[in-house]
Amino acid sequence: MLPPIRLCASKSDQQKAKNPKSVPKAKMPSPIILCASKADRQKALNHKAVPKVKASFKRWLDLPSDLATNILHRIGVIDILENAQKVCTTWRNICKEPAIWRVIHMDTAFGSHTTAQLREMCKNAVDRSQGQLVDISILGFCNNELLKYIADRASHLRRLEIACCYGDMNGTWAEALKKFPALEELSLQKTGITKEAIETIGRHCPLLKILKLNQAPPRYLDEASQNDLSIAIGTNLHELSHLELIGNSMTNIGIEVILDGCRHLESLDLRKCHYINLKSDLGKKCSRQIKYLKLPEDSLDGCPYIYENDEDFYDDMYPDMLCHCHCGLDGHDSDDDERWTEVYMEIFSP
């Protein structure tokens, strides 16, 4: 075997290995210094930091659209139109969705808007529903024009509530109700309707199950027509399951027609119906046929529009509408109906 070959470094290399400091280090290039002009330096000093979006506000913007829609439903029509839709682009787009406007509730009790302004807002809301409106409540500002406007644009309406409408809308009801074939509930509180309109409901609203015709008890009785509405109901609305006739002037004749004609009726509200007598066999018939019966003397608790003192309201607040008023009108004289309407409209018109 040949002996191993040894590689020997020179003396100078050995010296460098023992003393590494002797190896020169590579020089780094000196940094380049950029000098800004005086104007640029001044701009940098005056520059304001961009404000950050608050985390709480950002979380509102990041809400899922269905959750935001649910929230907007709860704040009401007026707040949506005047405030919510102005928050941001996202909310504005949501407020344009027809689904937001499927249910509309508007009341004169909130805000300081005039009746004319409320009617325009209501029309705006109806337009935004794009025919998808199914439920609307108008409290205190409906008139003939608005009712016609809704009827022409809400053929899928299932629930209609109108309260405290003191104008004469009798000529509008018949035409409007023809355009609500899907109507299931009609609620009129201190708002008049005629027997002709009830007959129209019977012909054009076959799905109607709930009818509320609640009035303050009449000060003056028209005996010739006191059973008109009840007879029209019993004759035409055979599918009713819930009927409220608070303050109606009907007699036992009207109740008999209702019981005979509305065989599916489960709930009947007769509070403040002072001209019926249920102490006879008619009372027993009501108890047998009606599951939930409210009697004329029962309390008005829970009724949002008719109050215990409504019978004295006009005596205290509108003395000019009494029988022996200064205008010379007699509440019992049917020949003065037209003049009574003029006085009534003068007091209550917006």
Side-chain angles (χ1 to χ4, degrees):
M1 294 291 290
L2 294 175
I5 299 173
R6 294 182 180 179
L7 299 176
C8 297
S10 64
K11 287 184 178 181
S12 61
D13 291 336
Q14 291 175 0
Q15 186 65 31
K16 288 179 181 179
K18 291 179 180 180
N19 188 16
K21 293 182 180 180
S22 61
V23 180
K25 294 181 179 180
K27 292 184 179 181
M28 296 295 294
S30 57
I32 299 173
I33 300 175
L34 299 176
C35 296
S37 65
K38 185 182 292 185
D40 291 337
R41 290 198 299 271
Q42 188 63 36
K43 287 181 182 179
L45 291 174
N46 296 335
H47 178 70
K48 293 182 179 179
V50 178
K52 295 182 179 180
V53 178
K54 291 183 178 179
S56 58
F57 181 72
K58 188 174 181 181
R59 285 196 294 269
W60 276 101
L61 298 182
D62 292 339
L63 286 174
S65 60
D66 56 343
L67 183 56
T69 299
N70 186 288
I71 294 171
L72 291 172
H73 266 308
R74 299 168 187 270
I75 68 174
V77 172
I78 296 175
D79 273 336
I80 290 176
L81 294 176
E82 294 195 333
N83 301 308
Q85 70 172 358
K86 301 175 183 178
V87 170
C88 61
T89 303
T90 301
W91 278 30
R92 183 170 184 82
N93 291 335
I94 293 175
C95 291
K96 292 179 180 179
E97 290 294 325
I100 286 285
W101 308 99
R102 296 182 76 242
V103 177
I104 296 173
H105 179 98
M106 296 187 67
D107 190 346
T108 53
F110 301 102
S112 56
H113 303 86
T114 66
T115 54
Q117 291 171 334
L118 289 170
R119 287 165 187 160
E120 288 305 312
M121 287 184 186
C122 188
K123 290 178 182 179
N124 188 352
V126 171
D127 289 340
R128 292 188 180 204
S129 73
Q130 297 182 23
Q132 297 185 29
L133 181 63
V134 296
D135 186 334
I136 187 168
S137 299
I138 305 173
L139 313 180
F141 64 92
C142 191
N143 63 359
N144 287 305
E145 179 191 0
L146 183 56
L147 181 59
K148 291 177 182 176
Y149 195 90
I150 295 169
D152 290 337
R153 294 161 177 81
S155 60
H156 298 291
L157 194 69
R158 296 202 298 263
R159 179 182 178 274
L160 172 62
E161 178 181 20
I162 297 178
C164 304
C165 178
Y166 300 110
D168 182 10
M169 296 175 58
N170 291 337
T172 306
W173 277 118
E175 290 302 315
L177 290 167
K178 291 178 182 178
K179 301 177 181 180
F180 298 137
L183 195 65
E184 298 175 7
E185 177 180 341
L186 177 62
S187 176
L188 303 182
Q189 313 287 342
K190 291 185 177 178
T191 300
I193 193 171
T194 63
K195 64 177 182 179
E196 290 79 15
I198 299 295
E199 293 167 356
T200 300
I201 294 174
R203 291 191 297 268
H204 298 277
C205 306
L207 301 179
L208 192 76
K209 296 292 188 295
I210 300 174
L211 180 63
K212 302 177 183 180
L213 303 179
N214 298 329
Q215 303 283 350
R219 291 290 300 171
Y220 308 107
L221 179 63
D222 182 1
E223 296 182 1
S225 62
Q226 66 183 123
N227 285 307
D228 283 358
L229 283 181
S230 54
I231 292 175
I233 291 169
T235 305
N236 296 278
L237 307 183
H238 305 299
E239 302 301 321
L240 285 181
S241 60
H242 178 94
L243 177 61
E244 291 184 14
L245 294 171
I246 298 175
N248 193 280
S249 62
M250 63 184 166
T251 65
N252 286 16
I253 295 173
I255 290 292
E256 287 275 10
V257 176
I258 289 174
L259 293 177
D260 292 339
C262 304
R263 307 301 298 183
H264 302 289
L265 199 61
E266 296 183 0
S267 174
L268 178 61
D269 194 335
L270 300 174
R271 287 177 290 178
K272 296 299 178 181
C273 294
H274 297 312
Y275 299 98
I276 61 176
N277 179 13
L278 297 180
K279 295 180 180 179
S280 59
D281 291 341
L282 179 60
K284 297 178 181 178
K285 184 177 181 180
C286 284
S287 299
R288 287 195 306 268
Q289 187 170 330
I290 306 300
K291 189 174 182 180
Y292 304 102
L293 177 65
K294 292 186 178 181
L295 302 174
E297 298 80 15
D298 287 350
S299 170
L300 287 173
D301 288 346
C303 185
Y305 306 103
I306 314 297
Y307 307 100
E308 295 289 350
N309 62 346
D310 270 346
E311 294 171 90
D312 302 323
F313 174 75
Y314 296 111
D315 289 353
D316 298 334
M317 299 298 295
Y318 301 104
D320 287 343
M321 294 189 68
L322 297 179
C323 178
H324 302 290
C325 63
H326 298 295
C327 63
L329 301 182
D330 184 353
H332 296 280
D333 189 351
S334 59
D335 294 336
D336 287 325
D337 283 349
E338 184 175 348
R339 294 179 63 200
W340 264 107
T341 301
E342 292 176 0
V343 174
Y344 196 71
M345 292 298 296
E346 180 180 352
I347 293 175
F348 287 108
S349 293

